[in-house]
Each structure stands twice: as C-alpha cells, then as structure tokens.
C-alpha cells in the first residue's frame, strides 16, 4: 500500500536562494511535525504540498497520485487542506458563516461538532472582525475542518498564543488525532508539539537534518547543532 503523502526529492529556489534541497519524507498515517529554525523552508514546503508553489525538482504524491502540477483548488478537493501561518478571516462573516461557506467545498460536515471541537460555540454568531487573536487561530482550524480534510496541514497553529490559549488548540488537535485525523504540523514550540506527534522531520536551511521519532529528536547531534549553532536552543 502506498503512503498517504509522499514528498520525494523536492527542491526549490527563489532566484539564487536555495530554499529546499532534495527534501523527502512520507506519511502513512498519524501525525508528523515539520520543524526547523526560522527560514528553514517549512512554509515553502507546505505551500508546495498544497499546490501554491511548484517544486523545481521532485514529486509530491497524495494517495499514490502525483499532485505537484495540480492547481491548489484541485488539491483541496482531494482532501488536502492547509491552514495559514498568518490568519486570514473574512472580517464581516460570522464564525458560523465561515464554517457554512467552507463546508460547500467538499460537503458533508457537522458544523456543531466543529464548533464544539474548536471551542468556538460561544462566539458562533460573532463577526471575525470582533474576535480575539486566540479565537482567530481557532477559526483558522475551524475553516480547515469545514472542508472535511483527509490530511490537515497546519502552519504554526499555536504561533503567537499564550500558554493557556496554545493548550486549548493543542487539546483540539489531540482530540482530532484520537478521531483518526492525519496531520502535518509546522511549529516552533517543540515541547508542546512533539508531545502529540508520531514522527518528526527537521529542516535546516532547506535540508533534512532529522527524520524519526520525537523521543530521538532532542538527543540528535544534528538537531542540537542546528538550533544551538544558530544561537538559540530548541524552544519548548
Ligand atoms: N515567495 C518567496 N520569494 C522569495 N523568497 C522566499 C519566498 N518565500 C520564502 N522565501 C525565502 O525562503 C526561505 C524559507 O522561507 P520559509 O517561509 O519557507 O521558512 P520557514 O521555515 O517557514 O520560516 P519561519 O519559521 O520563519 O516561518 C527564506 O529565506 C525566505 O526569505
Ligand atoms: Mg513559516
């Protein structure tokens, strides 16, 4: 059986800047954290998987089929759905209207379940323009869930949040995982993120420096060199 997602030998440059060099990994099931220092190429890689950028070399396969030349909308229709590092609400739409709108893409979602899972029930009738930053991060997750994903790509779902707010979103992600949702999570907050993933891929300057279990991650010499050599320890 082929993996759900396979990234094979992906390279990408912007001008002379080699942002990704021969990156490969695969996800069969469960959850994967994609980590690395600022500028490592994490968002670029997620954008390539979601079809918003094309790789210069390499292939991306979803359920065994090449997707790296498909337009983003076709990839979303197949069930590969990404949230954004920077929140993108429709300011005049309410929370419930966002869920209704995004549920039209692939159909058949339980809006009440999404509101309960994200904790957005109490603000369901508020316009996005009136929401707190924590609620906007939860709305980003709710929008993606409304598309009924087969594989969820999350770009810094707890970035910028307080510890308590981060814990609420992590609780939602853990519940999703128990429900069987497959996820790739890009995060800088390693201790919080690595506690619930099955697999870790670490990039540094566009190269894969680690691929393995969370238990092995912190002890890995290349990981320590990438973070400590860059002047900062892995953040928890
Ligand atoms: N559209 C673009 N045009 C030119 N350079 C880009 C573009 N997108 C990203 N880059 C460059 O590619 C490199 C990797 O950026 P990317 O956003 O993928 O990193 P990241 O790992 O997500 O970082 P962060 O943790 O800060 O979000 C950076 O040097 C960035 O300046
Ligand atoms: Mg990024």
């Amino acid at each position: 059986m082929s993996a759900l997602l396979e990234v094979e030998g992906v390279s990408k440059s912007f001008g002379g800047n080699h942002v990704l060099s021969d990156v490969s990994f695969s996800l069969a099931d469960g959850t994967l954290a994609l980590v690395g220092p600022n500028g490592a190429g994490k968002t670029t890689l997620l954008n390539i998987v979601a079809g918003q950028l094309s790789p210069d070399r390499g292939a991306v396969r979803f359920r065994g089929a090449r997707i790296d030349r498909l337009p983003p909308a076709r990839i979303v229709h197949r069930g590969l759905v990404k949230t954004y590092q920077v929140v993108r609400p429709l300011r005049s739409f309410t929370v419930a209207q966002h869920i209704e709108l995004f549920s039209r893409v692939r159909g058949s979602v339980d809006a009440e379940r999404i509101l309960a899972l994200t904790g957005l029930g109490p603000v369901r009738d508020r316009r996005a323009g009136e929401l707190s930053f924590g609620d906007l991060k939860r709305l980003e997750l709710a929008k993606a869930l409304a598309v009924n994903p087969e594989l969820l790509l999350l770009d810094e779902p707890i970035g910028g949040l307080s510890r308590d707010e981060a814990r609420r979103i992590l609780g939602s992600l853990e519940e999703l995982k128990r429900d069987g949702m497959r996820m790739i999570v890009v995060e800088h907050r390693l201790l919080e993120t690595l506690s619930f993933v099955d697999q870790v891929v670490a990039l540094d300057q566009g190269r894969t420096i680690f691929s393995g279990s969370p238990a092995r991650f912190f002890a890995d010499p290349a990981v320590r060199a990438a973070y400590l050599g860059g002047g900062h320890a892995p953040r928890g």
Side-chain angles (χ1 to χ4, degrees):
M1 199 192 85
S2 59
L4 181 68
L5 181 78
E6 291 167 279
V7 170
E8 190 184 297
V10 163
S11 296
K12 180 76 184 174
S13 298
F14 293 111
N17 186 5
H18 296 286
V19 172
L20 293 171
S21 303
D22 196 20
V23 174
S24 300
F25 70 88
S26 69
L27 175 73
D29 203 357
T31 50
L32 181 148
L34 179 62
V35 306
N38 291 115
K42 305 177 297 292
T43 294
T44 302
L45 185 54
L46 280 198
N47 285 339
I48 287 173
V49 171
Q52 283 152 344
L53 289 172
S54 295
D56 299 335
R57 277 193 307 280
V60 182
R61 291 188 187 80
F62 187 56
R63 296 193 176 290
R66 286 283 290 263
I67 58 167
D68 48 88
R69 302 290 152 189
L70 291 182
R74 297 263 309 273
I75 294 175
V76 169
H77 270 277
R78 292 186 183 203
L80 220 164
V81 181
K82 184 168 79 72
T83 67
Y84 288 87
Q85 185 167 352
V86 180
V87 295
R88 298 177 153 200
L90 302 161
R91 298 186 67 79
S92 65
F93 276 51
T94 67
V95 168
Q97 285 169 337
H98 275 85
I99 295 174
E100 206 280 317
L101 180 70
F102 284 87
S103 70
R104 292 182 198 173
V105 177
R106 298 185 76 225
S108 162
V109 292
D110 181 349
E112 294 303 322
R113 167 91 182 112
I114 293 172
L115 288 167
L117 193 137
T118 55
L120 285 169
V123 294
R124 62 190 297 155
D125 296 320
R126 293 248 186 96
R127 292 177 199 277
E130 302 161 9
L131 296 179
S132 69
F133 181 63
D135 283 339
L136 287 172
K137 293 292 272 191
R138 282 187 280 282
L139 179 61
E140 196 64 26
L141 177 60
K143 280 161 51 184
L145 293 176
V147 184
N148 194 12
E150 304 259 333
L151 172 59
L152 189 53
L153 309 173
L154 299 155
D155 198 350
E156 299 204 26
I158 59 172
L161 291 179
S162 69
R163 189 168 286 226
D164 284 348
E165 291 276 26
R167 217 173 267 143
R168 287 183 69 185
I169 292 212
L170 288 167
S172 304
L173 299 184
E174 280 162 13
E175 195 174 334
L176 278 170
K177 180 182 161 132
R178 282 195 295 275
D179 281 358
M181 177 69 73
R182 274 79 60 103
M183 292 179 258
I184 296 178
V185 185
V186 167
E187 254 305 330
H188 283 288
R189 292 162 73 156
L190 300 175
L191 288 178
E192 285 153 299
T193 308
L194 267 50
S195 67
F196 86 98
V197 300
D198 306 305
Q199 196 184 336
V200 187
V201 171
L203 300 179
D204 185 27
Q205 297 177 38
R207 293 180 188 279
T208 310
I209 56 161
F210 176 85
S211 179
S213 70
R216 283 181 36 227
F217 175 81
F218 287 104
D220 187 87
V223 168
R224 297 177 84 89
Y227 281 96
L228 299 171
H232 48 275
R235 272 194 274 153

mmCIF file of all heavy atoms in Angstrom, residues 190-209:
data_model
loop_
_atom_site.group_PDB
_atom_site.id
_atom_site.type_symbol
_atom_site.label_atom_id
_atom_site.label_comp_id
_atom_site.label_asym_id
_atom_site.label_seq_id
_atom_site.Cartn_x
_atom_site.Cartn_y
_atom_site.Cartn_z
ATOM 1 N N LEU A 190 8.389 23.343 20.381
ATOM 2 C CA LEU A 190 8.676 21.917 20.188
ATOM 3 C C LEU A 190 8.142 21.035 21.305
ATOM 4 O O LEU A 190 7.564 19.988 21.039
ATOM 5 C CB LEU A 190 10.186 21.715 20.036
ATOM 6 C CG LEU A 190 10.801 22.463 18.853
ATOM 7 C CD1 LEU A 190 12.310 22.300 18.867
ATOM 8 C CD2 LEU A 190 10.239 21.958 17.541
ATOM 9 N N LEU A 191 8.336 21.441 22.551
ATOM 10 C CA LEU A 191 7.904 20.559 23.645
ATOM 11 C C LEU A 191 6.405 20.321 23.565
ATOM 12 O O LEU A 191 5.933 19.197 23.722
ATOM 13 C CB LEU A 191 8.273 21.159 25.005
ATOM 14 C CG LEU A 191 9.760 21.135 25.359
ATOM 15 C CD1 LEU A 191 9.993 21.810 26.711
ATOM 16 C CD2 LEU A 191 10.291 19.709 25.398
ATOM 17 N N GLU A 192 5.649 21.404 23.294
ATOM 18 C CA GLU A 192 4.196 21.267 23.242
ATOM 19 C C GLU A 192 3.767 20.436 22.030
ATOM 20 O O GLU A 192 2.866 19.616 22.108
ATOM 21 C CB GLU A 192 3.542 22.654 23.178
ATOM 22 C CG GLU A 192 3.556 23.384 24.501
ATOM 23 C CD GLU A 192 3.534 24.907 24.334
ATOM 24 O OE1 GLU A 192 4.474 25.452 23.726
ATOM 25 O OE2 GLU A 192 2.582 25.534 24.810
ATOM 26 N N THR A 193 4.431 20.632 20.898
ATOM 27 C CA THR A 193 4.015 19.962 19.664
ATOM 28 C C THR A 193 4.467 18.514 19.630
ATOM 29 O O THR A 193 3.695 17.616 19.268
ATOM 30 C CB THR A 193 4.597 20.706 18.448
ATOM 31 O OG1 THR A 193 4.264 22.079 18.567
ATOM 32 C CG2 THR A 193 4.032 20.159 17.149
ATOM 33 N N LEU A 194 5.722 18.291 20.032
ATOM 34 C CA LEU A 194 6.265 16.932 19.901
ATOM 35 C C LEU A 194 5.622 15.949 20.879
ATOM 36 O O LEU A 194 5.776 14.738 20.737
ATOM 37 C CB LEU A 194 7.784 16.940 20.052
ATOM 38 C CG LEU A 194 8.541 17.060 18.719
ATOM 39 C CD1 LEU A 194 8.048 18.188 17.849
ATOM 40 C CD2 LEU A 194 10.028 17.148 18.938
ATOM 41 N N SER A 195 4.870 16.484 21.864
ATOM 42 C CA SER A 195 4.225 15.580 22.813
ATOM 43 C C SER A 195 3.080 14.800 22.167
ATOM 44 O O SER A 195 2.669 13.782 22.698
ATOM 45 C CB SER A 195 3.705 16.364 24.016
ATOM 46 O OG SER A 195 2.653 17.201 23.612
ATOM 47 N N PHE A 196 2.559 15.250 21.035
ATOM 48 C CA PHE A 196 1.414 14.509 20.475
ATOM 49 C C PHE A 196 1.628 13.986 19.056
ATOM 50 O O PHE A 196 0.740 13.375 18.487
ATOM 51 C CB PHE A 196 0.119 15.333 20.582
ATOM 52 C CG PHE A 196 -0.123 16.274 19.450
ATOM 53 C CD1 PHE A 196 -0.965 15.911 18.402
ATOM 54 C CD2 PHE A 196 0.469 17.510 19.426
ATOM 55 C CE1 PHE A 196 -1.185 16.774 17.350
ATOM 56 C CE2 PHE A 196 0.259 18.372 18.377
ATOM 57 C CZ PHE A 196 -0.570 18.008 17.337
ATOM 58 N N VAL A 197 2.827 14.174 18.483
ATOM 59 C CA VAL A 197 3.034 13.650 17.127
ATOM 60 C C VAL A 197 3.743 12.292 17.159
ATOM 61 O O VAL A 197 4.366 11.919 18.148
ATOM 62 C CB VAL A 197 3.822 14.637 16.224
ATOM 63 C CG1 VAL A 197 3.076 15.953 16.083
ATOM 64 C CG2 VAL A 197 5.240 14.845 16.738
ATOM 65 N N ASP A 198 3.634 11.568 16.033
ATOM 66 C CA ASP A 198 4.239 10.239 15.925
ATOM 67 C C ASP A 198 5.609 10.296 15.262
ATOM 68 O O ASP A 198 6.425 9.390 15.433
ATOM 69 C CB ASP A 198 3.341 9.336 15.058
ATOM 70 C CG ASP A 198 1.924 9.302 15.579
ATOM 71 O OD1 ASP A 198 1.750 8.984 16.757
ATOM 72 O OD2 ASP A 198 0.986 9.622 14.810
ATOM 73 N N GLN A 199 5.840 11.347 14.474
ATOM 74 C CA GLN A 199 7.009 11.385 13.595
ATOM 75 C C GLN A 199 7.475 12.838 13.494
ATOM 76 O O GLN A 199 6.638 13.754 13.516
ATOM 77 C CB GLN A 199 6.513 10.896 12.224
ATOM 78 C CG GLN A 199 7.522 10.472 11.227
ATOM 79 C CD GLN A 199 6.846 10.117 9.890
ATOM 80 O OE1 GLN A 199 5.663 9.771 9.823
ATOM 81 N NE2 GLN A 199 7.597 10.228 8.818
ATOM 82 N N VAL A 200 8.787 13.055 13.394
ATOM 83 C CA VAL A 200 9.327 14.419 13.257
ATOM 84 C C VAL A 200 10.257 14.479 12.049
ATOM 85 O O VAL A 200 11.090 13.581 11.857
ATOM 86 C CB VAL A 200 10.162 14.832 14.491
ATOM 87 C CG1 VAL A 200 10.555 16.303 14.403
ATOM 88 C CG2 VAL A 200 9.425 14.561 15.784
ATOM 89 N N VAL A 201 10.092 15.531 11.245
ATOM 90 C CA VAL A 201 11.056 15.839 10.191
ATOM 91 C C VAL A 201 11.585 17.234 10.497
ATOM 92 O O VAL A 201 10.801 18.167 10.702
ATOM 93 C CB VAL A 201 10.403 15.803 8.791
ATOM 94 C CG1 VAL A 201 11.363 16.334 7.718
ATOM 95 C CG2 VAL A 201 9.962 14.383 8.444
ATOM 96 N N ALA A 202 12.925 17.368 10.566
ATOM 97 C CA ALA A 202 13.517 18.681 10.844
ATOM 98 C C ALA A 202 14.300 19.149 9.632
ATOM 99 O O ALA A 202 15.075 18.394 9.043
ATOM 100 C CB ALA A 202 14.435 18.595 12.063
ATOM 101 N N LEU A 203 14.070 20.412 9.268
ATOM 102 C CA LEU A 203 14.805 21.044 8.175
ATOM 103 C C LEU A 203 15.734 22.091 8.760
ATOM 104 O O LEU A 203 15.420 22.735 9.761
ATOM 105 C CB LEU A 203 13.845 21.760 7.209
ATOM 106 C CG LEU A 203 12.770 20.961 6.498
ATOM 107 C CD1 LEU A 203 11.927 21.901 5.621
ATOM 108 C CD2 LEU A 203 13.388 19.869 5.637
ATOM 109 N N ASP A 204 16.859 22.279 8.094
ATOM 110 C CA ASP A 204 17.717 23.418 8.401
ATOM 111 C C ASP A 204 18.259 23.919 7.069
ATOM 112 O O ASP A 204 18.837 23.132 6.311
ATOM 113 C CB ASP A 204 18.853 23.001 9.341
ATOM 114 C CG ASP A 204 19.695 24.197 9.770
ATOM 115 O OD1 ASP A 204 19.161 25.329 9.795
ATOM 116 O OD2 ASP A 204 20.879 24.007 10.071
ATOM 117 N N GLN A 205 18.051 25.183 6.783
ATOM 118 C CA GLN A 205 18.463 25.777 5.511
ATOM 119 C C GLN A 205 18.074 24.882 4.329
ATOM 120 O O GLN A 205 18.867 24.658 3.411
ATOM 121 C CB GLN A 205 19.960 26.060 5.528
ATOM 122 C CG GLN A 205 20.308 27.095 6.600
ATOM 123 C CD GLN A 205 21.793 27.355 6.705
ATOM 124 O OE1 GLN A 205 22.508 27.391 5.716
ATOM 125 N NE2 GLN A 205 22.269 27.559 7.917
ATOM 126 N N GLY A 206 16.845 24.388 4.384
ATOM 127 C CA GLY A 206 16.291 23.660 3.246
ATOM 128 C C GLY A 206 16.707 22.213 3.116
ATOM 129 O O GLY A 206 16.320 21.538 2.162
ATOM 130 N N ARG A 207 17.505 21.730 4.068
ATOM 131 C CA ARG A 207 17.923 20.323 4.019
ATOM 132 C C ARG A 207 17.336 19.555 5.188
ATOM 133 O O ARG A 207 17.191 20.112 6.278
ATOM 134 C CB ARG A 207 19.452 20.208 4.087
ATOM 135 C CG ARG A 207 20.115 20.762 2.860
ATOM 136 C CD ARG A 207 21.627 20.651 2.925
ATOM 137 N NE ARG A 207 22.188 21.385 1.801
ATOM 138 C CZ ARG A 207 22.274 20.888 0.570
ATOM 139 N NH1 ARG A 207 21.881 19.662 0.321
ATOM 140 N NH2 ARG A 207 22.754 21.626 -0.414
ATOM 141 N N THR A 208 17.039 18.262 4.950
ATOM 142 C CA THR A 208 16.533 17.418 6.027
ATOM 143 C C THR A 208 17.700 17.039 6.932
ATOM 144 O O THR A 208 18.656 16.427 6.478
ATOM 145 C CB THR A 208 15.922 16.117 5.460
ATOM 146 O OG1 THR A 208 15.018 16.477 4.418
ATOM 147 C CG2 THR A 208 15.177 15.349 6.531
ATOM 148 N N ILE A 209 17.627 17.431 8.204
ATOM 149 C CA ILE A 209 18.704 17.080 9.128
ATOM 150 C C ILE A 209 18.274 15.989 10.107
ATOM 151 O O ILE A 209 19.104 15.421 10.800
ATOM 152 C CB ILE A 209 19.229 18.300 9.912
ATOM 153 C CG1 ILE A 209 18.093 18.995 10.667
ATOM 154 C CG2 ILE A 209 19.948 19.263 8.976
ATOM 155 C CD1 ILE A 209 18.592 19.890 11.780
#
